[in-house]
Each structure stands twice: as C-alpha cells, then as structure tokens.
C-alpha cells in the first residue's frame, strides 16, 4: 500500500474513518488543518482510505505524531508500522515523538517494534490511564 499526503478531496473519507473509530467527528477541524498544511498521511487499499497519520512540530519544536488511525478490518497487518517507518524517514526534525495510553497494549508493542523508546508519561489526561510518551531518533 502506498503512503501519500492527504488531499482536500480525501477529507470526507478520513473523517468517516475517524468517526468509525471514535464515534464522533469532533476532530474534523484538526484534520482539515493537517490536510491543508500537508501534515496528514494516508494509506489506500484500492480506492478506500484504510489508515491515516497526523503530525505537527509544536512539541518542544520536535515532530510529534498526534494521531494514527487504522480501519479495524486492516489492523494487525503492519499498517501502523508502515506509517511510523515512513514518518521516521520524512520527519522534519531529528527527534520524533508520539504517545498512547498505557492501556493500549497493541500500540505500545507497535512503538517498541519500530524502535521507539519510552520517554516519559503524563498523568491526568484520561483518569487512571496515563499517557506514555515514546521517542525515536531520526537521521
């Protein structure tokens, strides 16, 4: 599957996938902005968007992957790893960060598999489920 920058014409399909995953479209403004600023990567299977990633560089002037979504039908097939590998190659900064809840075993394993290291945690975002910060050096 090819990874490419999302285009404005992809917006509705990305929103539908996000809504399918979280049950709401409250992130649509964030997604629109990421598409406009070319900070949204997508993966297609035939003519369907099956995964996307959004990043920014507002995390202490470092690249931070703020969102990775994979359609449930396509999970556990290496798509998140492919997005992380691609992002490691194109990161606009030498330091790449991301995070996941401590309870998200699947994503924690994906980060470790892709040579990300634990870098810390943040309490009090989701009650009783700390956010684990991960880091990878990019060259």
């Amino acid at each position: 599957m090819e990874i490419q920058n999302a285009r404005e014409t992809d917006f509705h399909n990305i929103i539908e996938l996000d809504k399918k995953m979280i049950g709401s479209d409250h992130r649509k403004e964030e997604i629109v902005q990421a598409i406009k600023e070319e900070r949204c990567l997508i993966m297609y299977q035939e003519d369907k968007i099956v995964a996307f990633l959004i990043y920014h560089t507002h995390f202490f002037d470092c690249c931070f992957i703020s969102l990775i979504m994979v359609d449930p039908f396509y999970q556990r097939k290496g798509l998140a790893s492919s997005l992380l590998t691609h992002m490691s190659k194109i990161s606009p900064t030498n330091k790449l960060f991301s995070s996941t809840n401590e309870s998200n075993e699947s994503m924690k394993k994906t980060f470790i598999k892709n040579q990300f290291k634990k870098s810390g945690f943040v309490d009090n975002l989701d009650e009783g489920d700390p956010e684990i910060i991960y880091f990878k050096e990019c060259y």
Side-chain angles (χ1 to χ4, degrees):
M1 280 183 246
E2 185 181 339
I3 298 172
Q4 61 189 45
N5 280 330
R7 300 175 309 258
E8 288 185 28
T9 56
D10 298 314
F11 169 72
H12 292 292
N13 292 327
I14 295 168
I15 293 298
E16 286 306 308
L17 175 54
D18 195 47
K19 200 159 71 172
K20 179 178 185 179
M21 298 299 293
I22 66 167
S24 108
D25 65 356
H26 76 275
R27 293 193 284 223
K28 65 182 169 186
E29 293 305 316
E30 175 187 354
I31 292 169
V32 166
Q33 195 63 33
I35 292 169
K36 284 181 183 176
E37 295 174 3
E38 297 183 344
R39 298 180 294 102
C40 181
L41 304 175
I42 56 173
M43 293 182 79
Y44 274 100
Q45 173 70 33
E46 296 169 14
D47 63 342
K48 179 182 177 186
I49 294 173
V50 296
F52 72 94
L53 174 153
I54 291 178
Y55 68 94
H56 62 77
T57 56
H58 305 298
F59 187 74
F60 301 97
D61 293 325
C62 294
C63 189
F64 188 91
I65 299 167
S66 59
L67 191 58
I68 299 176
M69 286 292 182
V70 178
D71 186 296
F73 182 77
Y74 295 91
Q75 290 178 356
R76 300 198 179 17
K77 297 182 180 179
L79 277 65
S81 287
S82 293
L83 286 166
L84 288 172
T85 297
H86 185 78
M87 193 66 229
S88 296
K89 292 176 184 173
I90 68 161
S91 176
T93 67
N94 289 337
K95 294 181 179 181
L96 178 60
F97 289 87
S98 193
S99 68
T100 192
N101 287 94
E102 187 171 40
S103 64
N104 190 339
E105 292 298 328
S106 177
M107 198 63 212
K108 289 182 348 186
K109 288 177 186 174
T110 300
F111 282 129
I112 298 303
K113 177 182 173 187
N114 287 277
Q115 291 80 47
F116 280 74
K117 296 178 173 80
K118 285 185 183 179
S119 186
F121 68 93
V122 178
D123 279 326
N124 304 309
L125 291 174
D126 294 325
E127 191 64 36
D129 195 6
E131 192 77 8
I132 308 299
I133 309 295
Y134 286 89
F135 161 78
K136 183 176 184 177
E137 190 88 34
C138 300
Y139 302 101

